Amino acid sequence: MSSASAPVSLPGDPPGGKKAMLVWGIGVAVYFVAVIFRTSLGVAGLDAADRFHVNASALSTFSILQLLVYAGMQIPVGLMVDRLGTKRVLTIGVVLFTLGQLGFAFSPSYGMALASRALLGCGDALTFISVLRLGTRWFPARRGPLVAQLAGLVGMAGNLVSTLVIARLLHSVGWTAAFAGSALCGVVVLVLMTLFLKDHPEGHEPAPVRHTGGAFVRKQIALSWREPGTRLGLWVHFTTQFPAMVFLLLWGLPFLVEAQGLSRATAGALLTLVVLSNMVVGLVYGQIVARHHAARTPLAIGTVAATAVMWAVTIHYPGDHAPMGLLVALCVVLGSCGPASMIGFDFARPANPPERQGTASGIVNMGGFVASMTTLLAIGVLLDATGDNYRIAFSAVFVLEAIGLSQILRLRTRAVRRERERLVASRVEAVHVPV
């Protein structure tokens, strides 16, 4: 098998095993709850508009602010994880996103609700990079792509809880009880994490960080960004994640109900289909990338192309409403966006040493959320400007896809060449290590 076909085992790799699965599972449970809280607004968008008496632009501000906080914190979070370790960072995250969800439940005004979503976004921002770091500390490098895809899959299961459970609770017990009740999940994972989570297995302690301060932070960021694999990872994440994120986080339900004339129940079922498709595709992509690293770029570009085609055919369908078969196909294809975005981390991971993994992952993770935030705002503004013309508003997706795809094509050859050079160098070094 060629050097670019599959990741290799490295000296000092953690062994994995049952204990690794248990500890990592607790970290993933934290991310699962964070995604439930993050996406709970997606099924409550119309309810929020009625509760706070706001228009489309103001409604999109909820998600934009949440994502702005999330994206803006990714590099600081990466640095925090590299410096403080996973458990401390996750603990702070759980406390913040639980308080944010609870505050959202009791917010009497639009302003307080915005502050609560910002607090939630702040806590949410601390979770995923921490879980990725936990995976690299507990599992061997060859398991990295699959472990990352599994983490994303569990996160999408949290989205499934939002579409199936939170939506029903909203219409059975009401706004306050639904959001306050869901906040109890944060308390449960906080207890589990406090009792059982460990940063790394025994005998695999990371090297101590000897330097701190502004100069060290700037150096960490600069060295991570200098790697073509980090930049390629960011643009892969940017280009692939946001179409599904925008659809699930806020605008999918209004589009299906208001523009396509579906009932809320049918629209909710289609949102659920996106999540289910994501979970299935995540397993497939994880297995493919774990066995054939050369498939990373084709998978990413293929997902972007398929998404663009389905999005264009759906919103420009000649008629008042797209047929159900087309909407189903759109939702199935959107389900591939999340797994494709995880490929971005598979470019950044081999490009950076262990002491920069958190920082590099933070840079990559900014991509999709910056794109999502930009698109959420653009759609909201265009809907208000055009009298709720979804055909025009949703065309904003193509602009960001074109920008991201051009960067992927520009960086892909350089990143792969650099990765091969590092792999050859590591093998030569291993051969000459004295025994």
Side-chain angles (χ1 to χ4, degrees), residues 181-202:
S182 66
L184 294 176
C185 297
V187 178
V188 172
V189 294
L190 180 61
V191 172
L192 290 174
M193 187 180 61
T194 302
L195 293 176
F196 303 111
L197 189 71
K198 293 183 178 180
D199 283 351
H200 48 75
E202 293 182 10

Side-chain angles (χ1 to χ4, degrees), residues 388-410:
D388 292 337
N389 188 322
Y390 282 91
R391 180 170 295 178
I392 295 175
F394 274 27
S395 294
V397 169
F398 305 120
V399 177
L400 274 77
E401 284 190 322
I403 293 172
L405 186 59
S406 68
Q407 294 300 313
I408 292 173
L409 295 175
R410 183 178 70 86

Side-chain angles (χ1 to χ4, degrees), residues 135-420:
T136 62
R137 289 298 185 193
W138 281 90
F139 294 95
R142 68 181 183 276
R143 300 293 185 192
L146 183 58
V147 168
Q149 287 287 357
L150 287 173
L153 186 151
V154 173
M156 289 308 297
N159 204 323
L160 194 62
V161 171
S162 292
T163 57
L164 293 179
V165 179
I166 302 294
R168 293 182 181 180
L169 286 175
L170 276 169
H171 297 101
S172 60
V173 301
W175 178 282
T176 300
F179 282 101
S182 66
L184 294 176
C185 297
V187 178
V188 172
V189 294
L190 180 61
V191 172
L192 290 174
M193 187 180 61
T194 302
L195 293 176
F196 303 111
L197 189 71
K198 293 183 178 180
D199 283 351
H200 48 75
E202 293 182 10
H204 292 271
E205 293 81 1
V209 178
R210 295 184 176 90
H211 305 285
T212 57
F216 172 72
V217 168
R218 289 191 294 272
K219 183 179 179 181
Q220 284 283 90
I221 296 172
L223 289 175
S224 297
W225 182 256
R226 191 176 300 167
E227 292 291 343
T230 304
R231 301 197 301 276
L232 178 58
L234 179 144
W235 286 109
V236 167
H237 200 269
F238 177 101
T239 315
T240 55
Q241 187 201 47
F242 79 94
M245 174 80 64
V246 167
F247 200 78
L248 289 171
L249 199 60
L250 185 61
W251 291 122
L253 187 69
F255 168 72
L256 294 172
V257 173
E258 296 178 351
Q260 299 301 320
L262 303 180
S263 67
R264 285 198 179 204
T266 303
L270 287 174
L271 294 181
T272 302
L273 179 61
V274 177
V275 178
L276 293 175
S277 173
N278 184 298
M279 297 171 73
V280 173
V281 175
L283 288 174
V284 175
Y285 278 20
Q287 293 286 352
I288 293 174
V289 174
R291 289 173 168 81
H292 307 284
H293 254 197
R296 291 172 298 175
T297 302
L299 283 176
I301 293 177
T303 301
V304 174
T307 304
V309 168
M310 290 307 305
W311 199 274
V313 172
T314 301
I315 65 175
H316 294 291
Y317 185 81
D320 293 334
H321 305 304
M324 180 57 69
L326 183 56
L327 295 176
V328 168
L330 171 67
C331 291
V332 170
V333 171
L334 286 176
S336 66
C337 291
S341 72
M342 299 299 297
I343 295 173
F345 299 102
D346 293 319
F347 284 108
R349 188 182 301 110
N352 292 273
E355 63 270 18
R356 290 206 310 265
Q357 288 294 321
T359 305
S361 296
I363 292 172
V364 171
N365 209 31
M366 283 181 61
F369 289 93
V370 170
S372 297
M373 177 179 60
T374 304
T375 309
L376 283 167
L377 176 60
I379 290 175
V381 170
L382 288 171
L383 284 174
D384 286 338
T386 60
D388 292 337
N389 188 322
Y390 282 91
R391 180 170 295 178
I392 295 175
F394 274 27
S395 294
V397 169
F398 305 120
V399 177
L400 274 77
E401 284 190 322
I403 293 172
L405 186 59
S406 68
Q407 294 300 313
I408 292 173
L409 295 175
R410 183 178 70 86
L411 289 165
R412 59 176 180 166
T413 302
R414 195 185 319 169
V416 172
R417 182 173 63 246
R418 172 67 171 153
E419 187 176 309
R420 286 174 177 167

